[in-house]
PDB file of all heavy atoms in Angstrom:
ATOM      1  N   SER A   1      -4.309 -17.285  -8.875  1.00 83.00           N
ATOM      2  CA  SER A   1      -3.108 -16.452  -8.852  1.00 83.00           C
ATOM      3  C   SER A   1      -3.498 -15.021  -8.387  1.00 83.00           C
ATOM      4  O   SER A   1      -2.840 -14.411  -7.578  1.00 83.00           O
ATOM      5  CB  SER A   1      -2.449 -16.395 -10.138  1.00 83.00           C
ATOM      6  OG  SER A   1      -1.989 -17.665 -10.525  1.00 83.00           O
ATOM      7  N   ALA A   2      -4.562 -14.488  -8.925  1.00 85.00           N
ATOM      8  CA  ALA A   2      -5.041 -13.160  -8.587  1.00 85.00           C
ATOM      9  C   ALA A   2      -5.408 -13.076  -7.139  1.00 85.00           C
ATOM     10  O   ALA A   2      -5.063 -12.116  -6.439  1.00 85.00           O
ATOM     11  CB  ALA A   2      -6.230 -12.759  -9.463  1.00 85.00           C
ATOM     12  N   GLU A   3      -6.059 -14.088  -6.613  1.00 89.00           N
ATOM     13  CA  GLU A   3      -6.458 -14.135  -5.231  1.00 89.00           C
ATOM     14  C   GLU A   3      -5.222 -14.144  -4.314  1.00 89.00           C
ATOM     15  O   GLU A   3      -5.230 -13.447  -3.289  1.00 89.00           O
ATOM     16  CB  GLU A   3      -7.326 -15.385  -4.942  1.00 89.00           C
ATOM     17  CG  GLU A   3      -8.706 -15.279  -5.518  1.00 89.00           C
ATOM     18  CD  GLU A   3      -9.497 -16.581  -5.337  1.00 89.00           C
ATOM     19  OE1 GLU A   3      -9.046 -17.482  -4.589  1.00 89.00           O
ATOM     20  OE2 GLU A   3     -10.590 -16.702  -5.978  1.00 89.00           O
ATOM     21  N   ILE A   4      -4.216 -14.877  -4.682  1.00 88.00           N
ATOM     22  CA  ILE A   4      -2.966 -14.962  -3.866  1.00 88.00           C
ATOM     23  C   ILE A   4      -2.281 -13.628  -3.870  1.00 88.00           C
ATOM     24  O   ILE A   4      -1.811 -13.166  -2.835  1.00 88.00           O
ATOM     25  CB  ILE A   4      -2.093 -16.084  -4.442  1.00 88.00           C
ATOM     26  CG1 ILE A   4      -2.703 -17.484  -4.123  1.00 88.00           C
ATOM     27  CG2 ILE A   4      -0.703 -16.019  -3.754  1.00 88.00           C
ATOM     28  CD1 ILE A   4      -2.032 -18.627  -4.825  1.00 88.00           C
ATOM     29  N   ILE A   5      -2.195 -12.996  -5.070  1.00 89.00           N
ATOM     30  CA  ILE A   5      -1.528 -11.678  -5.133  1.00 89.00           C
ATOM     31  C   ILE A   5      -2.306 -10.649  -4.338  1.00 89.00           C
ATOM     32  O   ILE A   5      -1.709  -9.873  -3.523  1.00 89.00           O
ATOM     33  CB  ILE A   5      -1.408 -11.210  -6.599  1.00 89.00           C
ATOM     34  CG1 ILE A   5      -0.377 -12.120  -7.322  1.00 89.00           C
ATOM     35  CG2 ILE A   5      -1.027  -9.739  -6.687  1.00 89.00           C
ATOM     36  CD1 ILE A   5      -0.348 -11.871  -8.833  1.00 89.00           C
ATOM     37  N   LEU A   6      -3.621 -10.626  -4.429  1.00 90.00           N
ATOM     38  CA  LEU A   6      -4.430  -9.676  -3.665  1.00 90.00           C
ATOM     39  C   LEU A   6      -4.312  -9.892  -2.178  1.00 90.00           C
ATOM     40  O   LEU A   6      -4.218  -8.973  -1.382  1.00 90.00           O
ATOM     41  CB  LEU A   6      -5.923  -9.729  -4.080  1.00 90.00           C
ATOM     42  CG  LEU A   6      -6.176  -9.113  -5.433  1.00 90.00           C
ATOM     43  CD1 LEU A   6      -7.623  -9.404  -5.848  1.00 90.00           C
ATOM     44  CD2 LEU A   6      -5.911  -7.616  -5.456  1.00 90.00           C
ATOM     45  N   ALA A   7      -4.222 -11.150  -1.760  1.00 93.00           N
ATOM     46  CA  ALA A   7      -4.071 -11.492  -0.338  1.00 93.00           C
ATOM     47  C   ALA A   7      -2.770 -10.948   0.220  1.00 93.00           C
ATOM     48  O   ALA A   7      -2.684 -10.554   1.370  1.00 93.00           O
ATOM     49  CB  ALA A   7      -4.135 -13.038  -0.178  1.00 93.00           C
ATOM     50  N   ALA A   8      -1.731 -10.909  -0.611  1.00 92.00           N
ATOM     51  CA  ALA A   8      -0.434 -10.368  -0.169  1.00 92.00           C
ATOM     52  C   ALA A   8      -0.514  -8.904   0.173  1.00 92.00           C
ATOM     53  O   ALA A   8       0.272  -8.376   0.927  1.00 92.00           O
ATOM     54  CB  ALA A   8       0.628 -10.643  -1.217  1.00 92.00           C
ATOM     55  N   PHE A   9      -1.530  -8.194  -0.379  1.00 90.00           N
ATOM     56  CA  PHE A   9      -1.660  -6.767  -0.180  1.00 90.00           C
ATOM     57  C   PHE A   9      -2.782  -6.421   0.776  1.00 90.00           C
ATOM     58  O   PHE A   9      -3.082  -5.236   0.943  1.00 90.00           O
ATOM     59  CB  PHE A   9      -1.876  -6.032  -1.540  1.00 90.00           C
ATOM     60  CG  PHE A   9      -0.659  -5.961  -2.362  1.00 90.00           C
ATOM     61  CD1 PHE A   9      -0.326  -7.021  -3.245  1.00 90.00           C
ATOM     62  CD2 PHE A   9       0.240  -4.909  -2.224  1.00 90.00           C
ATOM     63  CE1 PHE A   9       0.848  -6.943  -3.988  1.00 90.00           C
ATOM     64  CE2 PHE A   9       1.420  -4.854  -2.957  1.00 90.00           C
ATOM     65  CZ  PHE A   9       1.689  -5.870  -3.883  1.00 90.00           C
ATOM     66  N   LYS A  10      -3.384  -7.390   1.404  1.00 90.00           N
ATOM     67  CA  LYS A  10      -4.579  -7.090   2.210  1.00 90.00           C
ATOM     68  C   LYS A  10      -4.262  -6.333   3.497  1.00 90.00           C
ATOM     69  O   LYS A  10      -5.143  -5.715   4.089  1.00 90.00           O
ATOM     70  CB  LYS A  10      -5.407  -8.341   2.478  1.00 90.00           C
ATOM     71  CG  LYS A  10      -4.944  -9.209   3.623  1.00 90.00           C
ATOM     72  CD  LYS A  10      -5.920 -10.316   3.843  1.00 90.00           C
ATOM     73  CE  LYS A  10      -5.697 -10.940   5.200  1.00 90.00           C
ATOM     74  NZ  LYS A  10      -6.629 -11.969   5.486  1.00 90.00           N
ATOM     75  N   GLU A  11      -3.053  -6.376   3.960  1.00 88.00           N
ATOM     76  CA  GLU A  11      -2.697  -5.729   5.238  1.00 88.00           C
ATOM     77  C   GLU A  11      -2.285  -4.237   5.039  1.00 88.00           C
ATOM     78  O   GLU A  11      -1.844  -3.638   5.994  1.00 88.00           O
ATOM     79  CB  GLU A  11      -1.605  -6.512   5.937  1.00 88.00           C
ATOM     80  CG  GLU A  11      -2.021  -7.913   6.332  1.00 88.00           C
ATOM     81  CD  GLU A  11      -3.170  -7.947   7.327  1.00 88.00           C
ATOM     82  OE1 GLU A  11      -3.247  -7.059   8.185  1.00 88.00           O
ATOM     83  OE2 GLU A  11      -4.060  -8.796   7.133  1.00 88.00           O
ATOM     84  N   ILE A  12      -2.411  -3.731   3.896  1.00 88.00           N
ATOM     85  CA  ILE A  12      -2.046  -2.326   3.622  1.00 88.00           C
ATOM     86  C   ILE A  12      -3.121  -1.421   4.274  1.00 88.00           C
ATOM     87  O   ILE A  12      -4.331  -1.652   4.096  1.00 88.00           O
ATOM     88  CB  ILE A  12      -1.939  -2.014   2.146  1.00 88.00           C
ATOM     89  CG1 ILE A  12      -0.690  -2.704   1.578  1.00 88.00           C
ATOM     90  CG2 ILE A  12      -1.872  -0.527   1.867  1.00 88.00           C
ATOM     91  CD1 ILE A  12      -0.459  -2.540   0.128  1.00 88.00           C
ATOM     92  N   THR A  13      -2.657  -0.413   4.966  1.00 89.00           N
ATOM     93  CA  THR A  13      -3.578   0.537   5.563  1.00 89.00           C
ATOM     94  C   THR A  13      -3.257   1.963   5.027  1.00 89.00           C
ATOM     95  O   THR A  13      -2.112   2.366   5.032  1.00 89.00           O
ATOM     96  CB  THR A  13      -3.407   0.575   7.107  1.00 89.00           C
ATOM     97  OG1 THR A  13      -3.694  -0.764   7.578  1.00 89.00           O
ATOM     98  CG2 THR A  13      -4.339   1.547   7.773  1.00 89.00           C
ATOM     99  N   LEU A  14      -4.344   2.645   4.620  1.00 86.00           N
ATOM    100  CA  LEU A  14      -4.198   4.028   4.192  1.00 86.00           C
ATOM    101  C   LEU A  14      -4.892   4.862   5.278  1.00 86.00           C
ATOM    102  O   LEU A  14      -6.071   4.670   5.591  1.00 86.00           O
ATOM    103  CB  LEU A  14      -4.915   4.279   2.882  1.00 86.00           C
ATOM    104  CG  LEU A  14      -5.081   5.734   2.437  1.00 86.00           C
ATOM    105  CD1 LEU A  14      -3.727   6.415   2.288  1.00 86.00           C
ATOM    106  CD2 LEU A  14      -5.880   5.782   1.179  1.00 86.00           C
ATOM    107  N   LEU A  15      -4.106   5.751   5.874  1.00 88.00           N
ATOM    108  CA  LEU A  15      -4.636   6.642   6.903  1.00 88.00           C
ATOM    109  C   LEU A  15      -4.671   8.030   6.383  1.00 88.00           C
ATOM    110  O   LEU A  15      -3.691   8.572   5.908  1.00 88.00           O
ATOM    111  CB  LEU A  15      -3.720   6.528   8.160  1.00 88.00           C
ATOM    112  CG  LEU A  15      -4.083   7.362   9.368  1.00 88.00           C
ATOM    113  CD1 LEU A  15      -5.439   7.038   9.934  1.00 88.00           C
ATOM    114  CD2 LEU A  15      -3.021   7.301  10.409  1.00 88.00           C
ATOM    115  N   LEU A  16      -5.828   8.669   6.415  1.00 86.00           N
ATOM    116  CA  LEU A  16      -5.970  10.033   6.002  1.00 86.00           C
ATOM    117  C   LEU A  16      -6.217  10.911   7.215  1.00 86.00           C
ATOM    118  O   LEU A  16      -7.163  10.636   8.013  1.00 86.00           O
ATOM    119  CB  LEU A  16      -7.145  10.216   5.000  1.00 86.00           C
ATOM    120  CG  LEU A  16      -6.981   9.415   3.701  1.00 86.00           C
ATOM    121  CD1 LEU A  16      -8.245   9.540   2.860  1.00 86.00           C
ATOM    122  CD2 LEU A  16      -5.819   9.897   2.920  1.00 86.00           C
ATOM    123  N   ILE A  17      -5.434  11.948   7.437  1.00 87.00           N
ATOM    124  CA  ILE A  17      -5.549  12.804   8.607  1.00 87.00           C
ATOM    125  C   ILE A  17      -5.842  14.223   8.063  1.00 87.00           C
ATOM    126  O   ILE A  17      -5.110  14.766   7.292  1.00 87.00           O
ATOM    127  CB  ILE A  17      -4.279  12.845   9.366  1.00 87.00           C
ATOM    128  CG1 ILE A  17      -3.896  11.385   9.837  1.00 87.00           C
ATOM    129  CG2 ILE A  17      -4.377  13.769  10.594  1.00 87.00           C
ATOM    130  CD1 ILE A  17      -2.516  11.287  10.353  1.00 87.00           C
ATOM    131  N   GLU A  18      -6.942  14.766   8.553  1.00 86.00           N
ATOM    132  CA  GLU A  18      -7.359  16.111   8.122  1.00 86.00           C
ATOM    133  C   GLU A  18      -6.874  17.118   9.180  1.00 86.00           C
ATOM    134  O   GLU A  18      -7.189  16.999  10.351  1.00 86.00           O
ATOM    135  CB  GLU A  18      -8.863  16.189   7.938  1.00 86.00           C
ATOM    136  CG  GLU A  18      -9.307  17.520   7.339  1.00 86.00           C
ATOM    137  CD  GLU A  18     -10.793  17.515   7.004  1.00 86.00           C
ATOM    138  OE1 GLU A  18     -11.447  16.480   7.102  1.00 86.00           O
ATOM    139  OE2 GLU A  18     -11.269  18.581   6.661  1.00 86.00           O
ATOM    140  N   VAL A  19      -6.090  18.116   8.745  1.00 85.00           N
ATOM    141  CA  VAL A  19      -5.603  19.155   9.632  1.00 85.00           C
ATOM    142  C   VAL A  19      -5.976  20.470   8.954  1.00 85.00           C
ATOM    143  O   VAL A  19      -5.478  20.837   7.889  1.00 85.00           O
ATOM    144  CB  VAL A  19      -4.098  19.068   9.832  1.00 85.00           C
ATOM    145  CG1 VAL A  19      -3.605  20.205  10.742  1.00 85.00           C
ATOM    146  CG2 VAL A  19      -3.693  17.715  10.422  1.00 85.00           C
ATOM    147  N   LYS A  20      -6.871  21.180   9.567  1.00 85.00           N
ATOM    148  CA  LYS A  20      -7.397  22.429   9.030  1.00 85.00           C
ATOM    149  C   LYS A  20      -7.884  22.195   7.588  1.00 85.00           C
ATOM    150  O   LYS A  20      -8.885  21.555   7.418  1.00 85.00           O
ATOM    151  CB  LYS A  20      -6.387  23.522   9.170  1.00 85.00           C
ATOM    152  CG  LYS A  20      -6.052  23.880  10.576  1.00 85.00           C
ATOM    153  CD  LYS A  20      -5.181  25.110  10.739  1.00 85.00           C
ATOM    154  CE  LYS A  20      -4.857  25.337  12.200  1.00 85.00           C
ATOM    155  NZ  LYS A  20      -4.034  26.515  12.400  1.00 85.00           N
ATOM    156  N   THR A  21      -7.181  22.786   6.647  1.00 82.00           N
ATOM    157  CA  THR A  21      -7.689  22.689   5.273  1.00 82.00           C
ATOM    158  C   THR A  21      -6.920  21.663   4.428  1.00 82.00           C
ATOM    159  O   THR A  21      -7.109  21.623   3.228  1.00 82.00           O
ATOM    160  CB  THR A  21      -7.586  24.078   4.573  1.00 82.00           C
ATOM    161  OG1 THR A  21      -6.217  24.475   4.568  1.00 82.00           O
ATOM    162  CG2 THR A  21      -8.443  25.125   5.271  1.00 82.00           C
ATOM    163  N   GLU A  22      -6.058  20.894   5.062  1.00 83.00           N
ATOM    164  CA  GLU A  22      -5.285  19.889   4.287  1.00 83.00           C
ATOM    165  C   GLU A  22      -5.524  18.515   4.804  1.00 83.00           C
ATOM    166  O   GLU A  22      -5.845  18.299   5.958  1.00 83.00           O
ATOM    167  CB  GLU A  22      -3.784  20.224   4.392  1.00 83.00           C
ATOM    168  CG  GLU A  22      -3.421  21.462   3.633  1.00 83.00           C
ATOM    169  CD  GLU A  22      -1.905  21.577   3.431  1.00 83.00           C
ATOM    170  OE1 GLU A  22      -1.373  20.833   2.600  1.00 83.00           O
ATOM    171  OE2 GLU A  22      -1.334  22.439   4.064  1.00 83.00           O
ATOM    172  N   ILE A  23      -5.361  17.530   3.917  1.00 85.00           N
ATOM    173  CA  ILE A  23      -5.503  16.134   4.271  1.00 85.00           C
ATOM    174  C   ILE A  23      -4.154  15.482   3.975  1.00 85.00           C
ATOM    175  O   ILE A  23      -3.581  15.613   2.884  1.00 85.00           O
ATOM    176  CB  ILE A  23      -6.600  15.429   3.433  1.00 85.00           C
ATOM    177  CG1 ILE A  23      -7.942  16.069   3.772  1.00 85.00           C
ATOM    178  CG2 ILE A  23      -6.634  13.912   3.775  1.00 85.00           C
ATOM    179  CD1 ILE A  23      -9.080  15.552   2.927  1.00 85.00           C
ATOM    180  N   TYR A  24      -3.609  14.758   4.997  1.00 85.00           N
ATOM    181  CA  TYR A  24      -2.338  14.101   4.855  1.00 85.00           C
ATOM    182  C   TYR A  24      -2.567  12.598   4.756  1.00 85.00           C
ATOM    183  O   TYR A  24      -3.422  12.049   5.473  1.00 85.00           O
ATOM    184  CB  TYR A  24      -1.453  14.396   6.055  1.00 85.00           C
ATOM    185  CG  TYR A  24      -1.067  15.859   6.183  1.00 85.00           C
ATOM    186  CD1 TYR A  24      -1.836  16.753   6.850  1.00 85.00           C
ATOM    187  CD2 TYR A  24       0.123  16.329   5.515  1.00 85.00           C
ATOM    188  CE1 TYR A  24      -1.534  18.091   6.884  1.00 85.00           C
ATOM    189  CE2 TYR A  24       0.448  17.662   5.615  1.00 85.00           C
ATOM    190  CZ  TYR A  24      -0.355  18.555   6.293  1.00 85.00           C
ATOM    191  OH  TYR A  24      -0.061  19.862   6.332  1.00 85.00           O
ATOM    192  N   ALA A  25      -1.798  11.939   3.868  1.00 84.00           N
ATOM    193  CA  ALA A  25      -1.925  10.486   3.695  1.00 84.00           C
ATOM    194  C   ALA A  25      -0.760   9.807   4.340  1.00 84.00           C
ATOM    195  O   ALA A  25       0.401  10.231   4.240  1.00 84.00           O
ATOM    196  CB  ALA A  25      -2.023  10.165   2.232  1.00 84.00           C
ATOM    197  N   HIS A  26      -1.022   8.645   4.949  1.00 86.00           N
ATOM    198  CA  HIS A  26       0.057   7.792   5.467  1.00 86.00           C
ATOM    199  C   HIS A  26      -0.269   6.343   5.064  1.00 86.00           C
ATOM    200  O   HIS A  26      -1.409   5.908   5.286  1.00 86.00           O
ATOM    201  CB  HIS A  26       0.187   7.923   6.990  1.00 86.00           C
ATOM    202  CG  HIS A  26       1.169   6.916   7.534  1.00 86.00           C
ATOM    203  ND1 HIS A  26       2.527   7.046   7.401  1.00 86.00           N
ATOM    204  CD2 HIS A  26       0.986   5.779   8.185  1.00 86.00           C
ATOM    205  CE1 HIS A  26       3.138   6.037   7.954  1.00 86.00           C
ATOM    206  NE2 HIS A  26       2.206   5.222   8.449  1.00 86.00           N
ATOM    207  N   LEU A  27       0.700   5.623   4.547  1.00 87.00           N
ATOM    208  CA  LEU A  27       0.532   4.240   4.120  1.00 87.00           C
ATOM    209  C   LEU A  27       1.457   3.360   4.949  1.00 87.00           C
ATOM    210  O   LEU A  27       2.596   3.777   5.272  1.00 87.00           O
ATOM    211  CB  LEU A  27       0.861   4.077   2.665  1.00 87.00           C
ATOM    212  CG  LEU A  27      -0.132   4.658   1.682  1.00 87.00           C
ATOM    213  CD1 LEU A  27       0.478   4.773   0.320  1.00 87.00           C
ATOM    214  CD2 LEU A  27      -1.374   3.798   1.612  1.00 87.00           C
ATOM    215  N   THR A  28       1.038   2.143   5.288  1.00 90.00           N
ATOM    216  CA  THR A  28       1.974   1.220   5.906  1.00 90.00           C
ATOM    217  C   THR A  28       3.095   0.863   4.916  1.00 90.00           C
ATOM    218  O   THR A  28       2.815   0.820   3.698  1.00 90.00           O
ATOM    219  CB  THR A  28       1.220  -0.072   6.315  1.00 90.00           C
ATOM    220  OG1 THR A  28       0.516  -0.589   5.193  1.00 90.00           O
ATOM    221  CG2 THR A  28       0.302   0.154   7.453  1.00 90.00           C
ATOM    222  N   PRO A  29       4.290   0.619   5.396  1.00 91.00           N
ATOM    223  CA  PRO A  29       5.383   0.278   4.471  1.00 91.00           C
ATOM    224  C   PRO A  29       5.100  -1.033   3.753  1.00 91.00           C
ATOM    225  O   PRO A  29       4.436  -1.941   4.274  1.00 91.00           O
ATOM    226  CB  PRO A  29       6.575   0.148   5.398  1.00 91.00           C
ATOM    227  CG  PRO A  29       6.213   0.808   6.694  1.00 91.00           C
ATOM    228  CD  PRO A  29       4.678   0.711   6.777  1.00 91.00           C
ATOM    229  N   LEU A  30       5.656  -1.187   2.558  1.00 93.00           N
ATOM    230  CA  LEU A  30       5.553  -2.453   1.811  1.00 93.00           C
ATOM    231  C   LEU A  30       6.422  -3.492   2.427  1.00 93.00           C
ATOM    232  O   LEU A  30       7.590  -3.203   2.804  1.00 93.00           O
ATOM    233  CB  LEU A  30       5.943  -2.214   0.343  1.00 93.00           C
ATOM    234  CG  LEU A  30       4.945  -1.422  -0.502  1.00 93.00           C
ATOM    235  CD1 LEU A  30       5.586  -1.168  -1.883  1.00 93.00           C
ATOM    236  CD2 LEU A  30       3.633  -2.137  -0.652  1.00 93.00           C
ATOM    237  N   SER A  31       5.969  -4.687   2.444  1.00 94.00           N
ATOM    238  CA  SER A  31       6.807  -5.852   2.852  1.00 94.00           C
ATOM    239  C   SER A  31       7.720  -6.241   1.680  1.00 94.00           C
ATOM    240  O   SER A  31       7.488  -5.865   0.567  1.00 94.00           O
ATOM    241  CB  SER A  31       5.928  -7.050   3.252  1.00 94.00           C
ATOM    242  OG  SER A  31       5.335  -7.589   2.079  1.00 94.00           O
ATOM    243  N   PRO A  32       8.768  -7.030   1.988  1.00 95.00           N
ATOM    244  CA  PRO A  32       9.619  -7.475   0.891  1.00 95.00           C
ATOM    245  C   PRO A  32       8.832  -8.247  -0.166  1.00 95.00           C
ATOM    246  O   PRO A  32       9.104  -8.119  -1.363  1.00 95.00           O
ATOM    247  CB  PRO A  32      10.633  -8.390   1.579  1.00 95.00           C
ATOM    248  CG  PRO A  32      10.727  -7.834   2.960  1.00 95.00           C
ATOM    249  CD  PRO A  32       9.297  -7.364   3.268  1.00 95.00           C
ATOM    250  N   LEU A  33       7.859  -9.025   0.228  1.00 94.00           N
ATOM    251  CA  LEU A  33       7.041  -9.804  -0.704  1.00 94.00           C
ATOM    252  C   LEU A  33       6.249  -8.824  -1.622  1.00 94.00           C
ATOM    253  O   LEU A  33       6.174  -9.013  -2.854  1.00 94.00           O
ATOM    254  CB  LEU A  33       6.078 -10.746  -0.023  1.00 94.00           C
ATOM    255  CG  LEU A  33       5.046 -11.444  -0.881  1.00 94.00           C
ATOM    256  CD1 LEU A  33       5.720 -12.344  -1.918  1.00 94.00           C
ATOM    257  CD2 LEU A  33       4.063 -12.234  -0.033  1.00 94.00           C
ATOM    258  N   GLN A  34       5.647  -7.798  -1.030  1.00 94.00           N
ATOM    259  CA  GLN A  34       4.868  -6.833  -1.828  1.00 94.00           C
ATOM    260  C   GLN A  34       5.778  -6.087  -2.801  1.00 94.00           C
ATOM    261  O   GLN A  34       5.371  -5.858  -3.955  1.00 94.00           O
ATOM    262  CB  GLN A  34       4.160  -5.859  -0.867  1.00 94.00           C
ATOM    263  CG  GLN A  34       3.077  -6.534  -0.039  1.00 94.00           C
ATOM    264  CD  GLN A  34       2.653  -5.667   1.125  1.00 94.00           C
ATOM    265  OE1 GLN A  34       3.384  -4.856   1.613  1.00 94.00           O
ATOM    266  NE2 GLN A  34       1.460  -5.912   1.642  1.00 94.00           N
ATOM    267  N   LYS A  35       6.973  -5.744  -2.372  1.00 94.00           N
ATOM    268  CA  LYS A  35       7.943  -5.053  -3.305  1.00 94.00           C
ATOM    269  C   LYS A  35       8.260  -5.994  -4.401  1.00 94.00           C
ATOM    270  O   LYS A  35       8.346  -5.568  -5.582  1.00 94.00           O
ATOM    271  CB  LYS A  35       9.162  -4.675  -2.526  1.00 94.00           C
ATOM    272  CG  LYS A  35       8.960  -3.521  -1.549  1.00 94.00           C
ATOM    273  CD  LYS A  35      10.234  -3.207  -0.796  1.00 94.00           C
ATOM    274  CE  LYS A  35      10.008  -2.160   0.219  1.00 94.00           C
ATOM    275  NZ  LYS A  35      11.213  -1.870   1.019  1.00 94.00           N
ATOM    276  N   ARG A  36       8.457  -7.280  -4.138  1.00 94.00           N
ATOM    277  CA  ARG A  36       8.795  -8.230  -5.156  1.00 94.00           C
ATOM    278  C   ARG A  36       7.686  -8.403  -6.179  1.00 94.00           C
ATOM    279  O   ARG A  36       7.949  -8.469  -7.367  1.00 94.00           O
ATOM    280  CB  ARG A  36       9.185  -9.597  -4.486  1.00 94.00           C
ATOM    281  CG  ARG A  36       9.518 -10.711  -5.465  1.00 94.00           C
ATOM    282  CD  ARG A  36      10.941 -10.505  -5.953  1.00 94.00           C
ATOM    283  NE  ARG A  36      11.321 -11.647  -6.750  1.00 94.00           N
ATOM    284  CZ  ARG A  36      11.817 -11.566  -7.982  1.00 94.00           C
ATOM    285  NH1 ARG A  36      12.121 -10.388  -8.485  1.00 94.00           N
ATOM    286  NH2 ARG A  36      12.084 -12.664  -8.663  1.00 94.00           N
ATOM    287  N   ILE A  37       6.469  -8.473  -5.691  1.00 93.00           N
ATOM    288  CA  ILE A  37       5.305  -8.618  -6.564  1.00 93.00           C
ATOM    289  C   ILE A  37       5.244  -7.413  -7.510  1.00 93.00           C
ATOM    290  O   ILE A  37       5.027  -7.589  -8.739  1.00 93.00           O
ATOM    291  CB  ILE A  37       4.024  -8.815  -5.771  1.00 93.00           C
ATOM    292  CG1 ILE A  37       4.004 -10.191  -5.084  1.00 93.00           C
ATOM    293  CG2 ILE A  37       2.810  -8.669  -6.641  1.00 93.00           C
ATOM    294  CD1 ILE A  37       2.884 -10.349  -4.108  1.00 93.00           C
ATOM    295  N   LEU A  38       5.357  -6.208  -6.952  1.00 92.00           N
ATOM    296  CA  LEU A  38       5.299  -5.024  -7.807  1.00 92.00           C
ATOM    297  C   LEU A  38       6.403  -5.046  -8.876  1.00 92.00           C
ATOM    298  O   LEU A  38       6.157  -4.741 -10.042  1.00 92.00           O
ATOM    299  CB  LEU A  38       5.429  -3.747  -6.975  1.00 92.00           C
ATOM    300  CG  LEU A  38       4.213  -3.391  -6.132  1.00 92.00           C
ATOM    301  CD1 LEU A  38       4.510  -2.128  -5.282  1.00 92.00           C
ATOM    302  CD2 LEU A  38       2.967  -3.219  -6.939  1.00 92.00           C
ATOM    303  N   ALA A  39       7.603  -5.440  -8.481  1.00 94.00           N
ATOM    304  CA  ALA A  39       8.721  -5.541  -9.446  1.00 94.00           C
ATOM    305  C   ALA A  39       8.419  -6.560 -10.530  1.00 94.00           C
ATOM    306  O   ALA A  39       8.669  -6.311 -11.702  1.00 94.00           O
ATOM    307  CB  ALA A  39      10.021  -5.888  -8.695  1.00 94.00           C
ATOM    308  N   LEU A  40       7.876  -7.720 -10.168  1.00 92.00           N
ATOM    309  CA  LEU A  40       7.572  -8.757 -11.164  1.00 92.00           C
ATOM    310  C   LEU A  40       6.483  -8.299 -12.099  1.00 92.00           C
ATOM    311  O   LEU A  40       6.488  -8.739 -13.259  1.00 92.00           O
ATOM    312  CB  LEU A  40       7.158 -10.055 -10.450  1.00 92.00           C
ATOM    313  CG  LEU A  40       8.245 -10.815  -9.736  1.00 92.00           C
ATOM    314  CD1 LEU A  40       7.717 -11.920  -8.891  1.00 92.00           C
ATOM    315  CD2 LEU A  40       9.282 -11.320 -10.732  1.00 92.00           C
ATOM    316  N   LEU A  41       5.574  -7.418 -11.621  1.00 90.00           N
ATOM    317  CA  LEU A  41       4.535  -6.939 -12.469  1.00 90.00           C
ATOM    318  C   LEU A  41       5.000  -5.745 -13.284  1.00 90.00           C
ATOM    319  O   LEU A  41       4.265  -5.201 -14.127  1.00 90.00           O
ATOM    320  CB  LEU A  41       3.335  -6.524 -11.641  1.00 90.00           C
ATOM    321  CG  LEU A  41       2.591  -7.692 -10.967  1.00 90.00           C
ATOM    322  CD1 LEU A  41       1.532  -7.167  -9.996  1.00 90.00           C
ATOM    323  CD2 LEU A  41       1.918  -8.568 -12.027  1.00 90.00           C
ATOM    324  N   GLY A  42       6.240  -5.294 -13.074  1.00 94.00           N
ATOM    325  CA  GLY A  42       6.786  -4.180 -13.848  1.00 94.00           C
ATOM    326  C   GLY A  42       6.423  -2.813 -13.304  1.00 94.00           C
ATOM    327  O   GLY A  42       6.568  -1.819 -14.070  1.00 94.00           O
ATOM    328  N   PHE A  43       5.947  -2.758 -12.086  1.00 93.00           N
ATOM    329  CA  PHE A  43       5.601  -1.450 -11.485  1.00 93.00           C
ATOM    330  C   PHE A  43       6.746  -0.974 -10.590  1.00 93.00           C
ATOM    331  O   PHE A  43       7.309  -1.698  -9.824  1.00 93.00           O
ATOM    332  CB  PHE A  43       4.335  -1.561 -10.625  1.00 93.00           C
ATOM    333  CG  PHE A  43       3.085  -1.887 -11.366  1.00 93.00           C
ATOM    334  CD1 PHE A  43       2.469  -3.117 -11.210  1.00 93.00           C
ATOM    335  CD2 PHE A  43       2.583  -0.998 -12.274  1.00 93.00           C
ATOM    336  CE1 PHE A  43       1.332  -3.397 -11.879  1.00 93.00           C
ATOM    337  CE2 PHE A  43       1.439  -1.277 -12.953  1.00 93.00           C
ATOM    338  CZ  PHE A  43       0.800  -2.499 -12.787  1.00 93.00           C
ATOM    339  N   PRO A  44       7.145   0.316 -10.700  1.00 94.00           N
ATOM    340  CA  PRO A  44       8.115   0.873  -9.823  1.00 94.00           C
ATOM    341  C   PRO A  44       7.531   0.988  -8.411  1.00 94.00           C
ATOM    342  O   PRO A  44       6.331   1.231  -8.229  1.00 94.00           O
ATOM    343  CB  PRO A  44       8.413   2.220 -10.383  1.00 94.00           C
ATOM    344  CG  PRO A  44       7.189   2.628 -11.146  1.00 94.00           C
ATOM    345  CD  PRO A  44       6.596   1.287 -11.654  1.00 94.00           C
TER     346      PRO A  44
END
């Protein structure tokens, strides 16, 4: 079960962009399945 849940999140990409003295984060949007898993686990 843990392997299946983790596999559902393997396509997430975190992109960090450094501009002068700041770092900006960008994440790929969650799929409907990923949103459902978070909801079932009780995470907002």
Side-chain angles (χ1 to χ4, degrees):
S1 298
E3 289 174 10
I4 291 168
I5 290 171
L6 288 173
F9 287 89
K10 82 175 198 177
E11 297 300 320
I12 289 178
T13 301
L14 169 62
L15 178 63
L16 298 175
I17 303 167
E18 188 173 351
V19 179
K20 296 187 181 181
T21 60
E22 292 194 71
I23 298 175
Y24 295 89
H26 174 74
L27 290 163
T28 52
L30 288 174
S31 71
L33 174 61
Q34 292 163 337
K35 290 178 184 177
R36 179 77 174 131
I37 291 170
L38 288 178
L40 289 170
L41 292 171
F43 294 113

